[in-house]
Amino acid sequence: ELLGVLNDTERSQLYLVAVYVQLEWPHIIFPLSAQLHSLRTAYTRSDVTPSRLQREVSTMLERLGWSHTFEYETTEGFSLDLAQP
């Protein structure tokens, strides 16, 4: 299998390509659509490491009254720094 020779970072990048293709050209079937679950798993396994600045911005926004979720994960597996889902 082609994906067997790819590491998680490479599979993560393919997942991003697959999502982009789905959003931009929904009528096109992505060639690796059968492996989409494997690609997404590699993507969601990627470590999320918020920066100090990101934490400070989150704290400041909370103080200003903008309630939000820190490191919100979308159904597609994307991690948004700050979100109001």
Side-chain angles (χ1 to χ4, degrees):
E1 174 182 87
L2 171 66
L3 293 181
V5 299
L6 301 177
N7 63 36
D8 278 350
T9 301
E10 293 164 334
R11 286 200 256 209
S12 294
Q13 294 302 308
L14 273 178
Y15 177 70
L16 294 176
V17 170
V19 170
Y20 180 75
V21 168
Q22 285 179 334
L23 293 173
E24 290 297 315
W25 302 286
H27 61 283
I28 294 177
I29 298 172
F30 187 68
L32 297 174
S33 60
Q35 289 84 14
L36 202 56
H37 178 72
S38 171
L39 299 175
R40 185 179 191 276
T41 299
Y43 181 79
T44 57
R45 255 197 314 252
S46 301
D47 290 334
V48 176
T49 53
S51 68
R52 185 172 143 218
L53 176 62
Q54 181 182 337
R55 291 180 190 282
E56 290 173 355
V57 167
S58 176
T59 300
M60 186 57 65
L61 290 171
E62 285 286 344
R63 288 181 185 160
L64 292 171
W66 193 73
S67 61
H68 58 276
T69 302
F70 189 73
E71 292 299 337
Y72 175 77
E73 187 174 321
T74 68
T75 56
E76 295 84 10
F78 293 112
S79 177
L80 303 178
D81 294 345
L82 308 169
Q84 287 184 313

